[in-house]
Amino acid sequence: MAAPGGARRWPLLLLLFGLVHGASAVFVVKDGNGTACIMANFSAAFLTSYDTKNGSKSVTFELPASAEVLNSSSCGKGNASDSSLVIAFGRGHTLTLSFTRNATRYSVQLMRFVYNLSDTGIFPNSSSKETKTVESVTDIRADINKKYRCVSSKQIHLRNVTVTLRDATIQAYLSNDSFSTEETHCEQDGPSPPSPTAPPQPSPTPVPASPSVSRYNVSGTNGTCLLASMGLQLNVTYRTRDNTTVTREFNIDPSKTTFGGNCTARLVTLALRSGNLLLVLQFAMNASSSQVFLQGVQLTMTLPDARDPTFKAVNNSLRALQAAAGNSYKCNAEERVQVTEAAFLNIFRVWVQAFRVDGDKFGPVEECQLDENSMLIPIAVGGALAGLVLIVLIAYLIGRKRSHAGYQTI
């Protein structure tokens, strides 16, 4: 087991050597002899929703630098059986990684997250003060005597909580009291993982062209709660370091984006992450009118040339992409959703349905007003042309009748 003072984290020392980036920290579990059996170096973000008096609210928060390894962490019996890393932060929140192994491989068999809704710093105005526990199996695994390495963002869905690990190095059942030089890469990195030491760049590349359309879905315990097909573009205005105001467009590239979300009776959440960008879309349903609509947009992204590199925009009082429950909303025209004065979400060729989704099929379609207006134009032009032809024809017939009347016998 971990002796008092034996389970430690060394973020400051490693930060000085450039081994830790941002909020990453190294968490270490040691046995009674002071020998490390588990080491983990990662940053983590948590996305979940909770109930307030004004309805459901979604929240995203990071694993803070003050997080600590608890002495309830364990090396198992002789560093050969099940072991665990327990990380605590805030007012009663814990993230647990439970490891198991066989002769050739080890894995994070279970990830568990316990969160306290009475922590007003993270869950303001929560209508519940209870502590909740969610857990799920993971596909985090590596060969014995090799470290698990994943530079890309890695999402683990724990029921109504999505945990995103970034730039992760994890190893259990250590043989030499430190990370091994050999490593097993995650599937997201592929055969050649990206370099974590590369200078930060804005993940979505500024391009004026229309974004690629991609399909997204979110499922819960009762099946699929969201289907969406759309292209997404961000339009942001900010001040650069030389105090110049600029407006730029960023396309979200589906090939570089991971997504997840959660389903509740009142709120459906779709979260998209692309490098240092996080975009959260929240769909709500009006119980009295049974209307479903995009209610909230939360955006966090890094702009390296900005005076304040961290750009944030939040709006939880929208009413966009609206359709009746059980129906889907479709619009081929570009939809421009204003999040704040400095941020717009441009949605291209959207087809979306939240709540009451039947499997993987969209329900009856409700067309947007923009598409209906575009259809009215050719109809109006056609009607005008038909009217003009009719007028010409009537005038011709009247003229011909008068012509014949001039030749009648007296």
Side-chain angles (χ1 to χ4, degrees):
M1 65 178 180
R8 301 178 298 168
R9 44 184 282 279
W10 303 334
L12 180 58
L13 179 61
L14 291 167
L15 183 62
L16 294 176
F17 286 94
L19 298 178
V20 178
H21 304 273
S24 295
V26 172
F27 303 98
V28 182
V29 179
K30 293 191 174 186
D31 62 17
N33 298 321
T35 303
C37 64
I38 300 173
M39 292 182 68
N41 177 9
F42 57 79
S43 60
F46 304 86
L47 169 66
T48 188
S49 59
Y50 64 99
D51 291 331
T52 69
K53 293 181 180 179
N54 298 321
S56 185
K57 182 178 180 181
S58 183
V59 63
T60 301
F61 52 96
E62 299 280 334
L63 183 69
S66 59
E68 298 282 351
V69 175
L70 293 185
N71 286 334
S72 56
S73 302
S74 171
C75 290
K77 187 176 180 180
N79 198 24
S81 59
D82 293 351
S83 57
S84 62
L85 165 64
V86 184
I87 302 169
F89 65 96
R91 295 175 54 187
H93 315 297
T94 59
L95 177 67
T96 302
L97 279 65
S98 298
F99 296 86
T100 189
R101 62 169 290 174
N102 56 29
T104 58
R105 307 201 82 186
Y106 66 92
S107 65
V108 179
Q109 183 182 38
L110 192 72
M111 179 178 288
R112 178 183 295 112
F113 181 52
V114 178
Y115 58 104
N116 180 15
L117 290 172
S118 65
D119 186 347
T120 56
I122 296 178
F123 305 104
N125 304 315
S126 175
S127 57
S128 172
K129 305 301 179 184
E130 64 182 324
T131 299
K132 292 193 172 185
T133 301
V134 291
E135 59 186 25
S136 175
V137 297
T138 81
D139 61 353
I140 298 175
R141 57 180 62 90
D143 297 330
I144 292 292
N145 295 327
K146 290 185 180 181
K147 61 189 176 187
Y148 169 87
R149 190 74 178 101
C150 196
V151 178
S152 304
S153 295
K154 172 74 174 179
Q155 290 190 332
I156 301 96
H157 303 290
L158 318 177
R159 208 163 60 196
N160 65 320
V161 177
T162 299
V163 181
T164 302
L165 302 182
R166 300 187 295 271
D167 194 10
T169 304
I170 302 171
Q171 187 171 358
Y173 309 105
L174 295 167
S175 59
N176 56 1
D177 208 30
S178 64
F179 282 125
S180 300
T181 55
E182 293 186 278
E183 53 192 35
T184 300
H185 297 299
C186 64
E187 293 182 0
Q188 288 84 348
D189 283 357
S192 300
S195 171
T197 58
Q201 298 292 333
S203 295
T205 305
V207 286
S210 297
S212 299
V213 175
S214 185
R215 189 178 175 96
Y216 307 95
N217 65 80
V218 177
S219 298
T221 55
N222 296 321
T224 303
C225 65
L226 175 73
L227 282 179
S229 175
M230 55 190 172
L232 298 172
Q233 184 183 79
L234 300 169
N235 182 297
V236 297
T237 301
Y238 61 95
R239 286 187 178 274
T240 60
R241 291 173 183 172
D242 60 2
N243 210 32
T244 301
T245 300
V246 298
T247 299
R248 292 181 177 168
E249 292 180 342
F250 300 89
N251 286 347
I252 293 182
D253 184 352
S255 66
K256 299 178 181 179
T257 302
T258 58
F259 67 90
N262 56 68
C263 313
T264 68
R266 298 180 180 178
L267 198 70
V268 170
T269 301
L270 171 64
L272 303 101
R273 183 178 289 277
S274 178
N276 53 32
L277 177 147
L278 176 65
L279 177 65
V280 179
L281 307 181
Q282 301 169 317
F283 293 84
M285 179 167 62
N286 186 303
S288 59
S289 65
S290 293
Q291 291 291 306
V292 177
F293 51 91
L294 176 64
Q295 175 181 275
V297 174
Q298 300 176 16
L299 169 64
T300 303
M301 64 186 300
T302 301
L303 300 168
D305 64 331
R307 188 169 62 180
D308 182 2
T310 301
F311 182 91
K312 293 185 177 181
V314 178
N315 190 334
N316 291 316
S317 58
L318 299 170
R319 205 173 181 90
L321 315 184
Q322 183 169 290
N327 289 355
S328 60
Y329 176 91
K330 192 172 186 180
C331 195
N332 290 317
E334 176 187 348
E335 295 249 15
R336 188 173 170 87
V337 178
Q338 181 172 0
V339 183
T340 64
E341 290 185 357
F344 287 81
L345 174 63
N346 302 329
I347 310 176
F348 293 76
R349 296 173 59 190
V350 61
W351 193 5
V352 63
Q353 182 176 351
F355 302 98
R356 301 184 188 177
V357 180
D358 183 12
D360 60 350
K361 298 179 180 179
F362 287 104
V365 173
E366 293 189 24
E367 298 281 352
C368 66
Q369 189 65 47
L370 291 171
D371 283 358
E372 291 180 357
N373 290 344
S374 64
M375 292 177 64
L376 287 176
I377 293 174
I379 293 174
V381 172
L385 290 175
L388 182 61
V389 170
L390 182 60
I391 292 172
V392 171
L393 180 60
I394 292 174
Y396 169 75
L397 293 174
I398 293 174
R400 185 176 181 183
K401 184 176 182 180
R402 288 179 176 175
S403 175
H404 281 290
Y407 291 98
Q408 289 179 354
T409 304
I410 300 177

